Amino acid sequence: MSTVSENFAPYAHAEKELCDIVGPLLADVIKEVEQRNGIKIRELRVTVEPSMPDALWTGANCVIVR
């Protein structure tokens, strides 16, 4: 296995894990937001913000694309 493949593998695994765990939850939240606002969201960008030392959770910034 090449170095590039070795470096990429953890990200690919993490991406699949996020999709498997967070995907269904996010889909439910998006559906609720769409219904309340009368819109359709086709693409969403989520940027994770580092948590502060005393914070209980990491922040996230969501942007509807297009």
Side-chain angles (χ1 to χ4, degrees):
M1 189 186 305
S2 72
T3 303
V4 173
S5 296
E6 290 171 359
N7 291 339
F8 181 74
Y11 289 96
H13 176 74
E15 185 176 271
K16 182 183 180 327
E17 195 172 347
L18 280 170
C19 288
D20 291 347
I21 296 170
V22 180
L25 300 171
L26 189 55
D28 289 342
V29 171
I30 290 170
K31 182 178 178 181
E32 287 183 32
V33 170
E34 288 177 334
Q35 290 173 346
R36 281 199 301 269
N37 292 281
I39 62 172
K40 285 291 185 189
I41 298 171
R42 294 291 173 238
E43 188 175 345
L44 179 69
R45 181 184 316 131
V46 179
T47 304
V48 178
E49 300 171 356
S51 61
M52 301 305 277
D54 296 331
L56 297 176
W57 58 280
T58 299
N61 182 24
C62 300
V63 176
I64 298 171
V65 180
R66 290 162 82 186

